[in-house]
């Protein structure tokens, strides 16, 4: 069905053909008075048109009424009169109402009021014997057909203008989102100017949420381990106890394979002079992963344009103050003042269980950083490193984001500091790595390590003698100890993730 409102037409003249010849001549002398009565009634009964101090506006109302009644007389005189110019006039009126930000309620009320006043006056002329009574039926049908066609033409113009305005507004909001997440950042003046034209109240701060459309967050497995956390992050149990880390804010949801291609590696930069960030395309895009296979890491990833063949996912319904793009993968939502009252509820209501990550709260000119962190966190969720809860906040996983931002760098660190563990068999290697990480974390206190690992203190001391033989002076070098701890924690995260086996734990 066309978006343009249907125009009522009367191909054969209809009721106008049934009017007695010469009736328009009989009515013409009275139409000036009818015009004045209709204008007075409109000013009196419709508040929108009651502007006695605005002479220009009232002249426009008077011209509109006069045009409508003269058009009626012309059709009465010649039923075959071309309707197109009149139709175009009322379509322009409809567009004008839309551009002024008004609804059509007042205008259509004015049309109905004008028709009633005209009908009432013609009835009075019949009662006074100035017109024959047998004209009333045909005249009434012609009058209300004329009214219907004017209303339909006005609605068509109004609808067309509203659709055009809505499309322009959405384009401005899309450009604004790109501007807010551009790298290098746009100026504050450019952001404010575009926000005003996009009818977006400028907030004090913002955060970016990236969403896997069509990929609900996974429910927690009963009795099974969750994705690990480490290094002072909330919910980390003692190493070696077998307890799953408790992640704040996790809750039940449904699960399905991720929808759409993974994040591309091409960084989006702003074209010169615009500050806007177009979606990347071409060789930088990464091919979609297999349905249940691991997703390769893509550090520093940014959203890529959604291919036309991608299966449609469920699109969140966001509040009007949010900015969103669902034509990129992952989808991007800008949340204004994310720390404000009710914002967490608004975000949760929009996501409805979809897998998502929220970047840090940043000033408006640092949106690229929030987007970058959110993309990296979403990638870690896909790999199983971060918990697959409904919404992961980057601020709760800063250490993990820092440590796993560059897999090649982690590989180099593991190779440099943990190579001595290659000298022992895998089962013993795991026990020694677990003991070394606990010893480094507990300040070299064997008794505390024993409690954490639920083993005897003598067992800890025996393992530490083995580690001393393997690592030698490195165990007493503060710089080496720090790097060993980082490497061991990265190794632990990789071991429990869904990343390819050759990248999980090099040792």
């Amino acid at each position: 069905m066309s978006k343009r409102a249907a125009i009522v037409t009367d191909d054969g003249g209809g009721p106008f053909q049934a009017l007695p010849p010469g009736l328009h001549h009989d009515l013409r002398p009275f139409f000036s008075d009818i015009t004045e009565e209709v204008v007075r009634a409109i000013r009196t009964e419709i508040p929108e048109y009651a502007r006695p101090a605005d002479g220009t506006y009232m002249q426009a109302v008077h011209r509109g009424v006069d045009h409508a009644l003269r058009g009626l007389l012309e059709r009465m005189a010649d039923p075959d009169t071309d309707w197109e110019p009149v139709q175009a006039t009322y379509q322009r009126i409809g567009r004008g109402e839309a551009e002024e930000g008004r609804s059509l309620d007042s205008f259509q009320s004015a049309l109905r009021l004008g028709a009633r006043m005209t009908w009432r006056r013609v009835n009075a002329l019949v009662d006074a014997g100035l017109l024959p009574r047998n004209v009333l039926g045909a005249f009434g049908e012609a009058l209300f057909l004329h009214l219907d066609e004017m209303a339909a033409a006005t609605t068509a113009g109004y609808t067309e203008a509203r659709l055009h305005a809505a499309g322009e507004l959405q384009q401005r909001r899309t450009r604004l989102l790109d501007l807010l997440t551009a790298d290098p950042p746009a100026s504050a003046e450019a952001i404010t100017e575009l926000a005003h034209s996009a009818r977006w109240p400028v907030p004090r701060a913002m955060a970016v949420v990236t969403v896997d459309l069509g990929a609900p967050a996974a429910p927690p497995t009963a009795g099974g381990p969750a994705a690990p956390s480490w290094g002072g992050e909330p919910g980390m149990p003692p190493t070696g106890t077998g307890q799953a880390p408790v992640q704040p804010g996790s809750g039940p949801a449904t699960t399905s394979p991720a929808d759409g291609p993974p994040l591309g590696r091409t960084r989006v930069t702003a074209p010169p002079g615009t500050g806007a960030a177009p979606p990347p395309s071409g060789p930088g895009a990464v091919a979609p992963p297999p349905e249940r296979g691991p997703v390769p890491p893509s550090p520093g990833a940014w959203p890529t344009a959604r291919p036309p063949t991608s299966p449609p996912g469920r699109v969140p319904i966001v509040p009007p103050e949010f900015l969103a793009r669902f034509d990129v993968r992952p989808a991007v939502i800008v949340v204004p003042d994310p720390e404000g009252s009710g914002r967490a509820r608004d975000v949760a209501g929009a996501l409805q269980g979809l897998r998502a990550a929220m970047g840090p709260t940043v000033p408006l000119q640092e949106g690229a950083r929030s987007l970058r962190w959110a993309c990296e966190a979403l990638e870690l969720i896909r790999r199983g490193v971060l918990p697959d809860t409904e919404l992961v906040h980057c601020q709760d996983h800063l250490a993990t984001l820092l440590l796993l931002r560059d897999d090649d760098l982690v590989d180099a660190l593991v190779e440099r500091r943990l190579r001595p563990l290659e000298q022992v068999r895998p089962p013993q290697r795991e026990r020694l790595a677990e003991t070394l990480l606990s010893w480094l974390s507990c300040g070299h206190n064997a008794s505390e390590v024993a409690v954490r690992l639920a083993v005897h203190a003598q067992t800890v001391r025996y393992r530490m003698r083995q580690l001393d033989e393997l690592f030698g002076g490195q165990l007493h070098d503060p710089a080496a100890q720090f790097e060993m701890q980082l490497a061991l924690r990265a190794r632990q995260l990789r071991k429990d993730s869904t990343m390819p086996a050759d990248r999980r734990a090099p040792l």
Side-chain angles (χ1 to χ4, degrees), residues 13 62 119 125 129 133 135 187 199-200 262 296 365 376 414 448 457:
H62 194 284
W119 176 248
L125 294 173
R133 187 165 296 278
V135 305
S187 66
R199 300 180 188 175
W200 191 66
Q365 291 182 270
E376 292 171 358
V414 170
E448 189 174 342

Side-chain angles (χ1 to χ4, degrees), residues 248-287:
S250 60
T254 58
T255 182
S256 71
D259 173 51
L263 299 173
R265 293 179 180 271
T266 303
R267 181 174 299 278
V268 181
T269 56
T274 63
S281 60
V286 179

Side-chain angles (χ1 to χ4, degrees), residues 218 226-230 233 247 355-358 373-389 391-402 404 493-494 496-498:
S229 176
W230 58 267
E233 295 181 335
Q247 297 297 339
R355 177 190 297 153
M358 176 179 273
W373 289 20
C375 287
E376 292 171 358
L378 191 62
E379 184 67 17
L380 292 179
I381 297 171
R382 291 169 176 164
R383 290 165 53 182
V385 175
L386 293 181
D388 195 3
T389 54
L391 178 64
V392 169
H393 293 265
C394 289
Q395 296 285 23
D396 297 335
H397 304 280
L398 295 178
T400 302
L401 287 168
L402 174 64
L404 295 186
L493 285 171
R494 286 179 164 188
D496 294 326
S497 74
T498 58

Side-chain angles (χ1 to χ4, degrees), residues 30-42 61-70 118 121:
F30 304 101
F31 263 46
S32 294
D33 292 339
I34 294 175
T35 299
E36 297 299 330
E37 290 182 22
V38 170
V39 171
R40 282 197 299 271
I42 289 174
V61 172
H62 194 284
R63 283 196 304 270
V65 173
D66 183 70
H67 187 81
L69 292 176
R70 287 185 182 277
T118 303
R121 183 60 186 273

Side-chain angles (χ1 to χ4, degrees), residues 116-136:
R116 289 201 311 270
M117 295 295 298
T118 303
W119 176 248
R120 186 182 304 164
R121 183 60 186 273
V122 170
N123 269 275
L125 294 173
V126 169
D127 291 340
L130 299 175
L131 293 174
R133 187 165 296 278
N134 62 358
V135 305
L136 283 179

